[in-house]
Every structure is written in C-alpha cells, then in structure tokens.
C-alpha cells in the first residue's frame, strides 16, 4: 500500500532477477537496492555536509585520474593541440600588423565558447533544471532588441559591445527596425547556444547505446525509466498520461527516424532525453541522431525562440504590456511604476555618451538588482547540485566496487 513508484519498478525488475541463481550472486537484491537508493538520496550538503564534501572530493579525484589516463592515451593529439595553442599565444603576444586580427579571432572564439558552454549546461543541467536561455541568452536578446528599437540601429560600437550596449554616435536615417535585422545581430550567439544544447543531449544517447551493445543494464534513473516504459507497453491500462506522451515520442523517433528526431528537437520538448535514449537503444547511427538534433536545436528551434523574444520586447508591445499592469487590482500602480522607470533608464543608458558609466548616470534599478540576485541564487544552486550529484555518484561507485570485491572473494 505504501510502495512508491520506484519500489514497484524494483519489484518488477527484482522478480526477474530472482529466477537465476547466477544473477543473485552478482546483482543486489530488491531490499539492498532500495536501502542503497534511500541512503544515496540522503547524501546532500544540507543533511550530511562532511560526508557529501568528502565523497565529492573523492569522485573529483577519480574522474581527474580517469581523464588524465585518457589524455595520456591520446598524447599525440594532446601534444598537437598544445603546440597549436602555444603557437597562437606566441603570435598573439608578438607585436605586428597581425595583432589586431588575432585579437579579433580570440574575442570571437571566447564569445562562441561562452555560449556553447552555457548551452551544454542548459541541456545537461545535472538534475537542476538550470535553463541558461532564461538566465543569459533570453535577457541578452531582449537587451539587443530594446537597444535596436531605441537606437534605430544594430551597429553598436564595439567595444563596449557585447559587454555593454550603446547607440552609435552618428545619426541613423529614420527607418523602421526589422525583426530580421535584430535576429541577424544575435545569430552567432544563438546558434552556438543551440549547438551546446545539442552536444548536451549526447550523454543519454551514448549511455543507452553502450548499454545495448554491451548487454549490461546500468543503474541509471533515465535508463530505468526507459525500461519501465518498455514493460508498460504490455500493460497499456497501467499507463498514465505522461507515459502515453513518452511512448508517442519514442514511436515517432523509432518509426520516422531522422525527421522524427528533427521534429522532437525543433520544439521545446522536456522529454527529448527519452528520444536520445531511444536512439541509442535502437542503435540509430550517430550522425543521424546528432545531425537532426543540431539542425533542430541550433537552427529551427533557436529561430523560433529568438523571434518570440524579439516580438515580446517590441517597443510598442512592451509599452502596452507595462500599461496593462495598472489594471491589476490593489498592486497595479505599484507594479507599473518600477517597470516604466526601468524602461526609461534603459533607453537613457543606450543613449549615454562614451566613457560614462550607466551606474553614475542612472543608479541601480530595483528590477535589475532583483534579477541579478536571482541569477546568483540559480548559479549557487547549480554548484550545490553538482556537489551533491558527484557525491552520490561516488556512493554508487563505492557500493559497486564492494559488490565486485565480494563476488571475487566468493
């Protein structure tokens, strides 16, 4: 009566394992699995800080050693990359006519790498749900949109763009600002962010593919969810609405192939991890999966998201939306004034003279301050989640090694 869904899953899984005496010796029993899972969930910073930090540092040490071994095994490639970076650095530090070009290349590379990394973080998330589009790329596109309509131009002086946005000093002929002009201004960062989200979808694909090829059933929550879905196919009456949606995603990917993956990747889809696991499980070729994912996320989906943000922050539409805040009962007027003040200060900031800091001219706006603190809290939560995730991974690794040692002794 008090069984959780995880317990039911383990019970169905454990009933199959109990049939073979050879599997009993190598696979933990149902009770052991449940006890281990419950123990692992308690390893978090706010419950067991010392143990969590200890396990986190041990897992970091093990992963560092593993990656050092991989680098040593590929030392020729590592040496070639190190020589290229060293050669570039030497040329970068040497004065000459080539220096401005190298500075421009370095700036573009760092800019692309930043958005690529944010895209990977958004897709991987490590169980936090950290969505860097809402925290970084969306606000960046919104700022460019507000500045474009205010300045009637996207030719912002660089520097300070992209770190800060200022209107060009020369007067711009009056013309209507186009959505497509703004989209082209943010195309590079949006594409790199989308490519990062596509790269972040590879771990579930490789995990499922490796499990299928090796025949080994990994102790992973996402794989367990996928296996549970396969078993539910035989009992459709037990399926919930979410299970039916997941099954429809799996059928679309399995039957349509490239275009099914493309369709799933081209729309906001929280179940896309399941599509990656399905592709890995059914041994869909890597370039079929990654190509469709890259085109869907970095090109189609990003253009949809860019257009949505640009339309939402259209000058007239935004002013109308802020005006509607006044009709909110009781607190309407109190909400409207800070937003109006924020928009006015943003316009003044775009039109300020070069060398003038926005803080000295406008002061700190309460909305910008709240958003900044919100981002800091999200990043702090993300770091804490990484620590918890690594500590729990070490706990799983530790128990697995203990079982293997026990089996070797037997």
């Amino acid at each position: 009566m008090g069984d959780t869904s995880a317990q039911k899953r383990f019970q169905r899984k454990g009933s199959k394992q109990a049939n073979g005496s050879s599997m009993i010796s190598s696979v933990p029993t149902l009770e052991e699995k449940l006890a281990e899972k419950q123990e692992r969930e308690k390893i978090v910073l706010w419950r067991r800080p010392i143990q969590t930090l200890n396990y986190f540092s041990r897992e970091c040490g093990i992963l560092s050693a593993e990656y050092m071994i991989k680098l040593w095994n590929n030392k020729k490639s590592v040496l070639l990359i190190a020589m290229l970076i060293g050669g570039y650095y030497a040329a970068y530090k040497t004065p000459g006519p080539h220096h401005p070009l190298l500075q421009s290349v370095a700036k573009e590379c760092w800019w692309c790498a930043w958005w690529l990394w944010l895209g990977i973080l958004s897709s991987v998330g490590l169980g936090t749900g950290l969505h860097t589009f809402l925290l970084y790329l969306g606000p960046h596109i919104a700022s460019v949109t507000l500045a474009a309509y205010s300045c009637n131009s996207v030719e912002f002086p660089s520097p300070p763009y992209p770190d800060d946005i200022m209107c060009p000093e020369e007067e711009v002929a009056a013309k209507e600002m186009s959505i497509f002009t703004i989209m082209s201004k943010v195309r590079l960062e949006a594409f790199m962010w989308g490519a990062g989200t596509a790269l972040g979808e590879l771990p579930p694909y490789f995990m499922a593919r490796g499990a299928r090829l090796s025949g080994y059933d990994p102790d992973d929550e996402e794989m367990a969810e996928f296996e549970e879905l396969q078993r539910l196919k035989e009992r459709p009456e037990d399926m919930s609405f979410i299970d039916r949606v997941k099954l429809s995603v799996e059928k679309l990917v399995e039957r349509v192939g490239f275009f099914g993956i493309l369709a799933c990747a081209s729309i906001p889809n929280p179940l896309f991890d399941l599509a990656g696991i399905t592709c890995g499980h059914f041994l869909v070729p890597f370039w079929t999966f990654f190509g469709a994912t890259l085109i869907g996320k970095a090109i189609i989906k990003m253009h949809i998201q860019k257009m949505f943000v640009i339309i939402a922050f259209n000058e007239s539409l935004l002013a109308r939306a802020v005006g509607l805040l006044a009709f909110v009962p009781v607190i309407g007027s109190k909400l409207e004034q800070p937003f109006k003040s924020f928009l006015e200060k943003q316009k003044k900031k775009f039109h300020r003279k070069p060398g003038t800091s926005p803080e000295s001219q406008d002061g700190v706006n309460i909305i910008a301050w709240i958003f900044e603190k919100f981002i800091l809290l999200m990043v702090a939560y993300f770091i804490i989640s990484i620590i918890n995730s690594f500590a729990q991974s070490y706990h799983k690794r530790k128990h697995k090694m203990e079982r293997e040692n026990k089996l070797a002794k037997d």
Side-chain angles (χ1 to χ4, degrees), residues 205 226 245-266 269 271-285 288-290 292-293:
Y205 169 82
F226 176 77
V245 173
K246 290 177 180 177
L247 189 60
S248 64
V249 170
E250 181 193 324
K251 285 180 179 178
L252 179 66
V253 170
E254 185 181 350
R255 292 178 181 177
V256 186
F258 179 90
F259 293 101
I261 303 167
L262 183 64
C264 289
S266 299
N269 184 3
L271 301 177
F272 192 78
D273 276 356
L274 186 64
I277 292 173
T278 302
C279 290
H281 181 77
F282 291 106
L283 303 180
V284 172
T288 301
F289 170 72
F290 185 66
T293 304

Side-chain angles (χ1 to χ4, degrees), residues 212-392:
R212 179 67 183 271
L213 292 174
S214 64
Y216 172 62
D217 180 21
D219 183 17
D220 188 276
E221 295 295 329
E222 288 178 340
M223 277 301 294
E225 184 180 350
F226 176 77
E227 291 166 0
E228 177 68 11
L229 193 62
Q230 303 309 303
R231 285 192 287 271
L232 281 173
K233 287 180 181 179
E234 302 171 4
R235 306 186 311 280
E237 65 278 0
D238 293 341
M239 283 190 180
S240 65
F241 173 74
I242 297 297
D243 290 330
R244 294 180 190 278
V245 173
K246 290 177 180 177
L247 189 60
S248 64
V249 170
E250 181 193 324
K251 285 180 179 178
L252 179 66
V253 170
E254 185 181 350
R255 292 178 181 177
V256 186
F258 179 90
F259 293 101
I261 303 167
L262 183 64
C264 289
S266 299
I267 57 174
N269 184 3
L271 301 177
F272 192 78
D273 276 356
L274 186 64
I277 292 173
T278 302
C279 290
H281 181 77
F282 291 106
L283 303 180
V284 172
F286 170 77
W287 286 110
T288 301
F289 170 72
F290 185 66
T293 304
L294 183 65
I295 294 171
K297 285 184 172 288
I299 299 176
I300 300 175
K301 182 181 173 183
M302 275 317 307
H303 275 80
I304 295 172
Q305 289 178 296
K306 277 193 298 182
M307 188 171 290
F308 175 80
V309 174
I310 292 168
I311 291 173
F313 283 85
N314 174 285
E315 193 173 32
S316 58
L317 186 63
L318 191 62
R320 206 173 304 164
V322 171
L324 290 175
L325 289 174
F327 296 99
V328 178
V330 184
I331 60 171
S333 57
K334 294 180 181 178
L335 281 175
E336 182 189 19
Q337 192 54 43
F339 277 97
K340 275 188 174 179
S341 173
F342 175 74
L343 292 176
E344 287 299 321
K345 289 182 178 182
Q346 283 295 105
K347 289 180 181 179
K348 289 180 182 178
K349 188 180 80 168
F350 298 143
H351 289 278
R352 74 185 188 276
K353 295 180 180 179
T356 306
S357 65
E359 290 79 11
S360 63
Q361 184 174 345
D362 299 320
V364 179
N365 188 276
I366 185 65
I367 297 175
W369 183 87
I370 291 172
F371 186 71
E372 180 185 340
K373 296 301 177 281
F374 173 72
I375 290 178
L376 289 175
L377 284 174
M378 286 295 295
V379 171
Y381 175 64
F382 181 65
I383 293 170
I384 291 170
S385 298
I386 291 175
I387 295 172
N388 292 338
S389 177
F390 275 38
Q392 291 173 4

